[in-house]
């Protein structure tokens, strides 16, 4: 059984043909696609960190800056390690591994510079990217609900409308809670948590209006 995309690519395509990718080029492309953000701070997202960590996990030992294991550079070879060069950005200043996009952003960008995001702005951006759909019903998808619930889970307690646990607003602070303002849309009218995109759509949009989707139409849309 084929074990990975490199093996399948090598099996299905003749890599001796000029212009076709070699296994080494495929590895380099996988690392690039997962980890590259150029000098664009807006591309440093949690999704990038997750994908890059996954691709780089087995080759962080290539770098002298990595302190959580012994070097594997002599074992795997310099050429192999060079294919994973971008992975070094996932190593923290103390030799550990970057855990989230805020940590990577702070490491790679000088946040004392004018115009560069602070940790609070990064949190607000993460919430916005995960949860914002404006007044556009077509953007209310299961993917949005899943991402928004993940980002908001620990701060739903900021809102009085949430009744599944006691308020944490006094504990975490007014300013912290304000960063998660968009998360309140994930709270149902009875104080629970929205379970799927159909429930969120029905809550946020008046489906009795002609032209708006009914739950049945939304199910049909998801299947389609």
């Amino acid at each position: 059984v084929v074990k990975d995309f490199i093996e399948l690519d090598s099996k299905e395509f003749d890599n001796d043909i000029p212009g076709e990718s070699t296994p080494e080029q495929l590895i380099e492309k996988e690392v690039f696609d997962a980890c590259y953000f150029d000098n664009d701070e807006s591309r440093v997202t949690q999704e990038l960190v997750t994908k890059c960590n996954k691709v780089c996990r087995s080759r962080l030992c290539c770098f002298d800056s990595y302190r959580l294991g012994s070097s594997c550079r002599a074992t795997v070879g310099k050429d192999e390690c060079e294919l994973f060069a971008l992975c070094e950005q996932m190593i923290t200043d103390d030799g550990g591994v970057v855990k989230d996009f805020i940590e990577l952003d702070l490491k790679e960008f000088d946040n004392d510079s004018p115009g560069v995001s602070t940790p609070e702005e990064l949190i607000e951006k993460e919430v916005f990217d995960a949860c914002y759909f404006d007044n556009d019903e077509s953007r209310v998808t299961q993917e949005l609900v899943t991402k928004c619930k993940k980002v908001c889970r620990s701060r739903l307690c900021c809102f009085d409308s949430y009744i599944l646990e006691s308020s944490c607003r006094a504990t975490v602070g007014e300013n912290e809670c304000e960063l998660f303002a968009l998360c309140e849309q994930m709270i149902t009218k009875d104080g629970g948590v929205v379970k799927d995109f159909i429930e969120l759509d029905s809550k946020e949009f008046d489906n009795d209006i002609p032209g708006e989707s009914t739950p049945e139409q939304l199910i049909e849309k998801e299947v389609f």
Side-chain angles (χ1 to χ4, degrees):
V1 180
V2 167
K3 295 187 287 292
D4 54 42
F5 83 103
I6 297 172
E7 190 173 1
L8 179 59
D9 186 281
S10 298
K11 173 178 174 288
E12 296 296 324
F13 297 95
D14 180 359
N15 286 304
D16 293 331
I17 298 175
E20 294 289 335
S21 300
T22 63
E24 291 76 15
Q25 289 171 325
L26 289 169
I27 291 172
E28 198 166 30
K29 179 181 184 300
E30 185 182 27
V31 174
F32 182 90
D33 289 346
C35 303
Y36 185 70
F37 55 83
D38 194 18
N39 197 35
D40 184 353
E41 190 175 9
S42 69
R43 292 170 65 180
V44 178
T45 63
Q46 190 57 44
E47 183 179 13
L48 179 141
V49 170
T50 301
K51 287 181 177 179
C52 191
N53 270 332
K54 185 177 179 181
V55 169
C56 295
R57 191 178 299 136
S58 66
R59 290 295 178 266
L60 291 176
C61 55
C62 281
F63 306 103
D64 294 337
S65 53
Y66 183 65
R67 309 258 178 88
L68 299 183
S70 55
S71 174
C72 62
R73 198 172 186 88
T75 310
V76 303
K78 180 181 177 182
D79 291 341
E80 169 90 1
C81 283
E82 285 302 316
L83 300 176
F84 291 85
L86 274 177
C87 293
E88 193 167 15
Q89 70 196 19
M90 303 308 295
I91 300 173
T92 59
D93 293 338
D94 62 358
V97 181
V98 166
K99 295 185 289 291
D100 55 47
F101 83 106
I102 296 175
E103 190 173 8
L104 180 59
D105 188 282
L106 292 172
K107 174 179 176 287
E108 295 294 322
F109 296 92
D110 179 5
N111 285 298
D112 294 329
S113 300
V116 177
S117 302
T118 63
E120 290 75 17
E121 288 170 333
L122 289 169
I123 291 171
E124 196 167 33
K125 177 182 180 299
E126 184 181 28
V127 174
F128 181 89
D129 289 347
C131 303
Y132 184 70
F133 54 82
D134 194 18
N135 197 35
D136 183 353
E137 189 175 10
S138 69
R139 293 170 65 180
V140 179
T141 63
Q142 191 56 44
E143 182 181 13
L144 178 140
V145 170
T146 301
K147 288 182 176 179
C148 190
K149 283 171 70 174
K150 184 177 180 181
V151 169
C152 295
R153 190 178 300 136
S154 66
R155 290 296 179 266
L156 290 175
C157 55
C158 280
F159 307 102
D160 294 336
S161 53
Y162 183 64
I163 62 170
L164 298 184
E165 60 181 289
S166 56
S167 174
C168 62
R169 201 169 187 94
T171 309
V172 302
E174 191 78 23
N175 292 337
E176 171 88 0
C177 282
E178 285 303 314
L179 300 177
F180 291 86
L182 275 177
C183 294
E184 193 167 14
Q185 69 196 16
M186 302 308 296
I187 300 173
T188 59
K189 292 175 182 176
D190 61 359
V193 181
V194 166
K195 293 187 288 291
D196 55 44
F197 84 106
I198 296 174
E199 190 173 7
L200 179 60
D201 187 282
S202 298
K203 173 180 176 284
E204 296 293 323
F205 296 91
D206 180 4
N207 287 303
D208 294 328
I209 298 174
E212 294 290 337
S213 303
T214 64
E216 291 77 12
Q217 290 169 325
L218 289 167
I219 292 170
E220 191 172 26
K221 171 179 175 287
E222 183 178 34
V223 173
F224 180 82

